[in-house]
Amino acid sequence: MFFKDRLLRASIQIARENWAAWRDVFEHSGPICTSPLLADPARFASFCNEYRVGRTIRLGTQNEFRCALAESPQFLAAIQDDTGQALDKLEGDLRMRFGTHDGRNRVVSILSKVAAFVRPARFAAWDTFARKGVNIVLGRNPSSPFNTYTDYLA
């Protein structure tokens, strides 16, 4: 029991530190382009590093990707679409421009995490652990695939 208590305390401390670091982003209520996450290149770089999503876009395109989202009417429309369909479409459009392996690899991980930070009440991060958790809650095999982000949000 002692180990579980220490693990729980450590996890709570990590959550507190994360909230302190990112609270202003989660609570931002202004236009998307002024979100601290998208308005500040250093903050976006920190986000990409901390959440390990920088590897999902081509090397050297991080700031261009940030600007593409901050200035994009499509991204603004995508985060207003509660179904996730517009985010799926935007991911397809951005993949060729920013995806690794000449656009063959998807950019849904970074795109979903940005959406989750910008509109946390609606969007969930797309990553291995989150997908496994959703599958478990749905009573499915933990490694069952979701074909699209839209399916994952549903």
Side-chain angles (χ1 to χ4, degrees):
M1 203 58 160
F2 178 71
F3 177 73
K4 286 183 181 179
D5 288 341
R6 287 185 64 196
L7 183 60
L8 181 60
R9 275 191 291 252
S11 296
I12 290 169
Q13 184 58 34
I14 291 168
R16 282 185 181 137
E17 291 169 5
N18 188 65
W19 179 247
W22 297 104
R23 181 178 183 171
D24 63 326
V25 175
F26 285 116
E27 293 183 342
H28 177 74
S29 60
I32 297 304
C33 63
T34 64
S35 165
L37 180 62
L38 296 174
D40 181 358
R43 196 80 186 273
F44 190 75
S46 175
F47 164 81
C48 287
N49 182 49
E50 186 172 331
Y51 288 90
R52 308 226 181 349
V53 290
R55 63 184 165 70
T56 66
I57 56 176
R58 277 191 206 124
L59 189 63
T61 64
Q62 193 176 88
N63 194 53
E64 184 183 351
F65 184 81
R66 178 191 65 80
C67 290
L69 296 183
E71 300 164 3
S72 168
Q74 291 84 6
F75 181 63
L76 181 58
I79 62 166
Q80 298 307 317
D81 170 29
D82 287 345
T83 68
Q85 290 175 348
L87 209 63
D88 274 330
K89 181 181 179 334
L90 180 61
E91 189 279 330
D93 295 343
L94 294 173
R95 182 185 313 171
M96 289 307 296
R97 190 166 156 201
F98 296 104
T100 59
H101 296 98
D102 295 323
R104 290 189 309 273
N105 284 3
R106 298 172 62 178
V107 295
V108 68
S109 179
I110 189 169
L111 194 56
S112 71
K113 285 181 178 84
V114 171
F117 268 60
V118 171
R119 195 165 169 227
R122 179 57 197 130
F123 292 101
W126 168 283
D127 65 28
T128 303
F129 298 113
R131 286 192 310 273
K132 282 182 182 180
V134 170
N135 275 325
I136 290 168
V137 168
L138 293 174
R140 298 172 13 152
N141 181 309
S143 42
S144 293
F146 290 93
N147 294 324
T148 63
Y149 187 67
T150 302
D151 293 342
Y152 175 67
L153 285 181

